[in-house]
Amino acid sequence: MANVLIVEDEKNMQDIIVEYMRRGGHTCFTADDGVDALMILKSNPMDLMILDVMMPHLDGFSVCKLAREMSNMPIIMLTAKGGEDDKLKGYEYGADDYMTKPFSPKVLLAKANALLRRSSPAPLDALNVGKIMVIPSSHKVFIDGQEITLTHKEYELLYFLMVNPGQIFARDQLLNRIWGYDFEGTTRTVDTHIKTLRQKLGDEGKHIVTLIRSGYKFEVAV
Protein backbone atom coordinates (compact mmCIF):
# COMPACT_ATOMS: atom_id res chain seq x y z
CA MET A 1 0.00 0.00 0.00
CA ALA A 2 1.13 3.52 -0.72
CA ASN A 3 -0.10 7.08 -0.32
CA VAL A 4 -0.86 8.40 -3.81
CA LEU A 5 -1.63 12.05 -4.55
CA ILE A 6 -3.81 12.50 -7.64
CA VAL A 7 -3.73 16.03 -9.04
CA GLU A 8 -6.38 16.33 -11.75
CA ASP A 9 -8.92 19.13 -12.29
CA GLU A 10 -11.26 17.04 -14.46
CA LYS A 11 -13.56 15.34 -11.93
CA ASN A 12 -14.50 12.30 -14.03
CA MET A 13 -10.86 11.57 -14.80
CA GLN A 14 -9.93 12.06 -11.14
CA ASP A 15 -12.61 9.59 -10.02
CA ILE A 16 -11.45 6.95 -12.52
CA ILE A 17 -7.83 7.21 -11.38
CA VAL A 18 -8.85 7.05 -7.72
CA GLU A 19 -10.94 3.94 -8.39
CA TYR A 20 -8.06 2.08 -10.04
CA MET A 21 -5.46 3.16 -7.47
CA ARG A 22 -7.72 1.93 -4.67
CA ARG A 23 -8.19 -1.36 -6.50
CA GLY A 24 -4.42 -1.63 -6.34
CA GLY A 25 -4.60 -1.26 -2.56
CA HIS A 26 -3.37 2.33 -2.39
CA THR A 27 -4.62 5.23 -0.26
CA CYS A 28 -5.64 8.18 -2.42
CA PHE A 29 -5.40 11.90 -1.77
CA THR A 30 -6.88 14.26 -4.39
CA ALA A 31 -6.30 17.85 -5.45
CA ASP A 32 -8.21 19.86 -8.07
CA ASP A 33 -5.36 22.26 -8.79
CA GLY A 34 -1.64 22.77 -8.25
CA VAL A 35 -2.00 25.06 -5.24
CA ASP A 36 -4.05 22.48 -3.32
CA ALA A 37 -1.57 19.78 -4.32
CA LEU A 38 1.36 21.64 -2.77
CA MET A 39 -0.63 22.27 0.42
CA ILE A 40 -1.33 18.53 0.73
CA LEU A 41 2.32 17.68 0.11
CA LYS A 42 3.42 20.00 2.90
CA SER A 43 1.31 18.20 5.48
CA ASN A 44 1.17 14.58 4.28
CA PRO A 45 4.00 12.20 3.35
CA MET A 46 3.35 10.84 -0.17
CA ASP A 47 4.83 7.83 -1.94
CA LEU A 48 3.80 8.80 -5.50
CA MET A 49 2.08 11.66 -7.33
CA ILE A 50 -0.02 11.46 -10.50
CA LEU A 51 0.02 14.98 -11.91
CA ASP A 52 -1.97 16.56 -14.75
CA VAL A 53 -0.10 19.16 -16.80
CA MET A 54 -2.97 21.52 -17.70
CA MET A 55 -4.55 22.90 -14.51
CA PRO A 56 -5.88 26.21 -13.21
CA HIS A 57 -3.83 28.48 -10.91
CA LEU A 58 -0.58 26.52 -11.22
CA ASP A 59 0.34 24.21 -14.09
CA GLY A 60 1.73 20.72 -13.68
CA PHE A 61 5.26 21.64 -14.70
CA SER A 62 5.47 24.23 -11.91
CA VAL A 63 3.98 21.81 -9.39
CA CYS A 64 6.43 19.11 -10.46
CA LYS A 65 9.41 21.44 -10.01
CA LEU A 66 8.27 22.60 -6.55
CA ALA A 67 7.27 19.11 -5.43
CA ARG A 68 10.67 17.75 -6.39
CA GLU A 69 12.25 20.23 -3.97
CA MET A 70 10.08 18.73 -1.20
CA SER A 71 10.21 15.01 -1.96
CA ASN A 72 11.94 12.26 -3.95
CA MET A 73 8.66 10.43 -4.57
CA PRO A 74 8.02 9.17 -8.12
CA ILE A 75 5.93 11.52 -10.27
CA ILE A 76 3.82 10.46 -13.26
CA MET A 77 2.64 13.33 -15.45
CA LEU A 78 -0.59 13.26 -17.46
CA THR A 79 -0.91 15.34 -20.58
CA ALA A 80 -3.24 15.80 -23.53
CA LYS A 81 -0.17 16.63 -25.56
CA GLY A 82 2.17 13.99 -26.86
CA GLY A 83 4.82 16.39 -28.03
CA GLU A 84 8.45 15.60 -27.37
CA ASP A 85 9.13 19.09 -25.99
CA ASP A 86 6.49 18.71 -23.26
CA LYS A 87 7.89 15.35 -22.20
CA LEU A 88 11.44 16.68 -22.12
CA LYS A 89 10.27 19.64 -20.03
CA GLY A 90 8.56 17.30 -17.58
CA TYR A 91 11.65 15.12 -17.23
CA GLU A 92 13.78 18.23 -16.77
CA TYR A 93 11.58 19.31 -13.85
CA GLY A 94 11.80 15.89 -12.20
CA ALA A 95 9.00 13.72 -13.63
CA ASP A 96 9.67 9.97 -13.71
CA ASP A 97 7.15 8.92 -16.33
CA TYR A 98 4.52 10.26 -18.73
CA MET A 99 1.11 9.17 -19.94
CA THR A 100 -0.71 10.87 -22.80
CA LYS A 101 -4.53 11.20 -22.66
CA PRO A 102 -6.53 9.18 -23.41
CA PHE A 103 -4.82 6.34 -21.56
CA SER A 104 -5.63 3.00 -19.95
CA PRO A 105 -6.17 3.26 -16.15
CA LYS A 106 -4.84 -0.31 -15.88
CA VAL A 107 -1.58 0.73 -17.53
CA LEU A 108 -1.39 3.78 -15.24
CA LEU A 109 -1.75 1.52 -12.18
CA ALA A 110 0.92 -0.82 -13.55
CA LYS A 111 3.29 2.11 -14.10
CA ALA A 112 2.58 3.41 -10.59
CA ASN A 113 3.27 0.01 -9.02
CA ALA A 114 6.50 -0.37 -10.99
CA LEU A 115 7.75 3.04 -9.86
CA LEU A 116 6.77 2.31 -6.25
CA ARG A 117 8.69 -0.98 -6.31
CA ARG A 118 11.80 0.72 -7.67
CA SER A 119 11.61 3.58 -5.19
CA SER A 120 11.02 1.42 -2.12
CA PRO A 121 14.08 0.80 0.03
CA ALA A 122 15.48 -2.71 -0.07
CA PRO A 123 14.10 -4.93 2.71
CA LEU A 124 16.23 -4.90 5.82
CA ASP A 125 17.33 -8.12 7.52
CA ALA A 126 17.17 -6.33 10.87
CA LEU A 127 16.71 -2.80 12.14
CA ASN A 128 18.52 -2.02 15.37
CA VAL A 129 18.26 1.04 17.61
CA GLY A 130 19.41 0.83 21.21
CA LYS A 131 18.07 -2.44 22.59
CA ILE A 132 15.28 -2.58 19.99
CA MET A 133 15.64 -5.02 17.07
CA VAL A 134 12.96 -5.27 14.38
CA ILE A 135 12.87 -8.06 11.80
CA PRO A 136 10.77 -6.63 8.92
CA SER A 137 10.45 -9.94 7.04
CA SER A 138 8.65 -11.56 9.99
CA HIS A 139 7.30 -8.46 11.78
CA LYS A 140 9.03 -9.59 14.96
CA VAL A 141 10.30 -7.17 17.58
CA PHE A 142 12.90 -7.90 20.24
CA ILE A 143 13.97 -5.90 23.28
CA ASP A 144 17.44 -6.86 24.52
CA GLY A 145 17.04 -10.23 22.79
CA GLN A 146 13.58 -10.97 24.19
CA GLU A 147 10.67 -11.03 21.74
CA ILE A 148 7.71 -8.78 22.59
CA THR A 149 4.18 -9.03 21.21
CA LEU A 150 2.79 -6.02 19.35
CA THR A 151 -0.51 -5.56 17.57
CA HIS A 152 -0.34 -5.01 13.81
CA LYS A 153 -0.87 -1.24 14.15
CA GLU A 154 1.66 -0.97 16.98
CA TYR A 155 4.21 -2.72 14.80
CA GLU A 156 3.45 -0.49 11.80
CA LEU A 157 3.81 2.61 13.97
CA LEU A 158 7.13 1.48 15.42
CA TYR A 159 8.57 0.42 12.07
CA PHE A 160 7.46 3.61 10.30
CA LEU A 161 8.97 5.83 12.98
CA MET A 162 12.21 3.81 13.09
CA VAL A 163 12.81 4.01 9.34
CA ASN A 164 12.26 7.78 9.49
CA PRO A 165 14.50 8.70 12.45
CA GLY A 166 14.40 12.29 13.64
CA GLN A 167 11.50 13.23 11.36
CA ILE A 168 8.51 14.83 13.07
CA PHE A 169 5.10 13.43 12.14
CA ALA A 170 1.85 15.12 13.10
CA ARG A 171 -0.90 12.93 14.49
CA ASP A 172 -2.94 13.43 11.30
CA GLN A 173 0.00 12.25 9.22
CA LEU A 174 0.42 9.09 11.29
CA LEU A 175 -3.32 8.46 11.22
CA ASN A 176 -3.41 8.73 7.42
CA ARG A 177 -0.24 6.71 6.94
CA ILE A 178 -0.96 3.82 9.32
CA TRP A 179 -4.77 3.67 9.43
CA GLY A 180 -5.52 5.06 5.98
CA TYR A 181 -7.09 8.23 4.64
CA ASP A 182 -10.61 6.77 4.91
CA PHE A 183 -10.28 5.85 8.59
CA GLU A 184 -13.09 7.53 10.56
CA GLY A 185 -11.36 7.58 13.94
CA THR A 186 -9.68 10.58 15.57
CA THR A 187 -6.09 11.48 16.32
CA ARG A 188 -6.64 10.14 19.85
CA THR A 189 -6.28 6.73 18.25
CA VAL A 190 -2.64 7.59 17.54
CA ASP A 191 -2.04 8.77 21.11
CA THR A 192 -3.54 5.58 22.53
CA HIS A 193 -1.40 3.33 20.35
CA ILE A 194 1.75 5.34 21.10
CA LYS A 195 1.03 4.98 24.82
CA THR A 196 0.62 1.19 24.68
CA LEU A 197 3.62 0.88 22.35
CA ARG A 198 5.82 2.77 24.79
CA GLN A 199 4.61 0.53 27.63
CA LYS A 200 5.53 -2.59 25.70
CA LEU A 201 8.95 -1.17 24.78
CA GLY A 202 9.70 -0.46 28.43
CA ASP A 203 12.75 1.73 28.93
CA GLU A 204 13.28 1.76 25.15
CA GLY A 205 10.01 3.64 24.77
CA LYS A 206 12.11 6.75 25.43
CA HIS A 207 13.06 6.72 21.73
CA ILE A 208 9.51 7.78 20.81
CA VAL A 209 9.53 11.47 21.63
CA THR A 210 6.41 13.64 21.97
CA LEU A 211 6.63 17.19 20.66
CA ILE A 212 3.90 19.38 22.13
CA ARG A 213 1.50 20.65 19.42
CA SER A 214 3.67 19.01 16.74
CA GLY A 215 3.42 15.23 17.01
CA TYR A 216 5.94 12.43 17.43
CA LYS A 217 9.39 11.46 16.27
CA PHE A 218 11.79 8.56 16.77
CA GLU A 219 14.98 9.79 18.37
CA VAL A 220 17.97 7.49 17.86
CA ALA A 221 20.32 9.11 20.38
CA VAL A 222 18.48 9.49 23.69
Side-chain angles (χ1 to χ4, degrees), residues 161-181:
L161 291 170
M162 286 183 71
V163 298
N164 293 283
Q167 186 171 343
I168 300 170
F169 292 97
R171 290 167 175 81
D172 283 337
Q173 289 178 290
L174 292 172
L175 195 67
N176 292 338
R177 182 72 189 219
I178 306 301
W179 280 266
Y181 186 63

Side-chain angles (χ1 to χ4, degrees), residues 63-212:
V63 175
C64 183
K65 185 177 181 179
L66 292 168
R68 185 52 75 223
E69 296 173 0
M70 301 163 58
S71 171
N72 290 322
M73 65 178 172
I75 299 174
I76 301 175
M77 298 198 77
L78 308 177
T79 178
K81 302 176 181 178
E84 185 178 81
D85 289 344
D86 281 323
K87 291 185 178 181
L88 290 174
K89 185 177 180 180
Y91 290 133
E92 179 186 346
Y93 285 170
D96 296 278
D97 208 340
Y98 244 101
M99 290 203 74
T100 303
K101 297 178 182 180
F103 57 83
S104 163
K106 291 182 180 179
V107 174
L108 177 60
L109 176 59
K111 282 178 176 280
N113 287 337
L115 285 170
L116 286 165
R117 283 194 298 270
R118 291 202 294 271
S119 65
S120 298
L124 301 170
D125 292 332
L127 188 60
N128 293 279
V129 174
K131 296 180 181 179
I132 305 173
M133 180 173 71
V134 175
I135 313 294
S137 59
S138 60
H139 284 203
K140 290 185 177 181
V141 179
F142 298 83
I143 303 294
D144 204 14
Q146 298 294 314
E147 184 175 358
I148 64 171
T149 302
L150 301 181
T151 66
H152 180 64
K153 293 302 182 187
E154 289 168 352
Y155 171 83
E156 287 191 324
L157 261 175
L158 176 62
Y159 180 74
F160 179 69
L161 291 170
M162 286 183 71
V163 298
N164 293 283
Q167 186 171 343
I168 300 170
F169 292 97
R171 290 167 175 81
D172 283 337
Q173 289 178 290
L174 292 172
L175 195 67
N176 292 338
R177 182 72 189 219
I178 306 301
W179 280 266
Y181 186 63
D182 295 329
F183 181 69
E184 295 182 355
T186 68
T187 54
R188 297 183 67 179
T189 299
V190 176
D191 294 332
T192 300
H193 280 72
I194 290 288
K195 180 180 178 180
T196 58
L197 177 56
R198 280 184 176 138
Q199 290 172 347
K200 291 181 180 181
L201 293 175
D203 291 341
E204 295 302 293
K206 64 187 179 184
H207 291 284
I208 302 176
V209 178
T210 302
L211 293 98
I212 299 174

